[in-house]
Amino acid sequence: MSSASAAIPQPGRTKAFLRLVMIEHSVFALPFAYIASLTAMFELDKNIHWGLLLLVTICMVGLRTFAMAANRIIDREIDARNPRTAHRELVTGAVSVKSAWTGALIALVVFLGAAALLNPLCLALAPIAVIPMVVYPYGKRFTNFPQAILGLAQAMGPIGAWIAITGEWSWTAVILGLAVGIWIGGFDLIYACQDVETDREVGVKSVPARFGIPAAIWGARVCHTLTTALFVWYALVTDAGTFFWVGLVIVAGAFLYEHSIVKPHDLSRLNRAFFQVNGFIGIALFVCALLDLLVRGLTV
């Protein structure tokens, strides 16, 4: 290959990096950032501010991309020792460590730049949002509860989105953020169950590795019960209307379904619970929340 052709960006590398950071998993966090943003706009002046919404999207995707890339880089040796993750791009060489760091740092700059364009409080708090993203992959090395760190990281999305719109701290957003963080921490408890044996051999710490799969499944059930309660609290605080409450009924039903198909002795449908059900939960509640806000007077 000539030096000239080597200098041309290769589409395959970009696709490999997007696979590395699992860009499609933004569906878990983005809907709740939009719920927070649109609710804040409704309370502010009942108008959708598309420019701000775009910046919120850039912030969310940028920070999540950085977090996933950093996670994969830090965990690459652990991933290589786990048959389930041995095919990941940093293990196989489809993406080099240098390329992954480059992509991560570009995503971080994009996140900080978008935060700076939003308001001073967003920029001031932006570095704080980065901390749990980096601590989380190390968490499984020093605590049996790394999902708690993941939950904290995910809780910052709705809180940051609300601040992006208003420029002010909001305890209402904290309720939604806690709901999202506990929800994601809960389904990550389920997801970690498939790696119990490998984690114990490698020395990776987690709830299922330390306390067993039944304890992790019950922990997830408690988390999702708390999530539902927090969603109800958020609905009451924001005076949500009928559509939002319908969304909560759908979410509660999805939780019941999720926990009906994942049993301590049967993890065969774990991926369906993790990817399909939880992806559906975010999208369904966002659609219902948007309809509710539009009916109540939010102007497009």
Side-chain angles (χ1 to χ4, degrees), residues 173-209:
V174 171
I175 297 171
L176 183 60
L178 286 174
V180 172
I182 294 172
W183 165 56
I184 292 180
F187 74 65
D188 197 62
L189 282 175
I190 298 174
Y191 193 66
C193 289
Q194 62 189 319
D195 294 327
V196 168
E197 296 303 323
T198 302
D199 285 350
R200 288 171 177 167
E201 292 175 7
V202 175
V204 171
K205 296 179 180 293
S206 70
V207 170

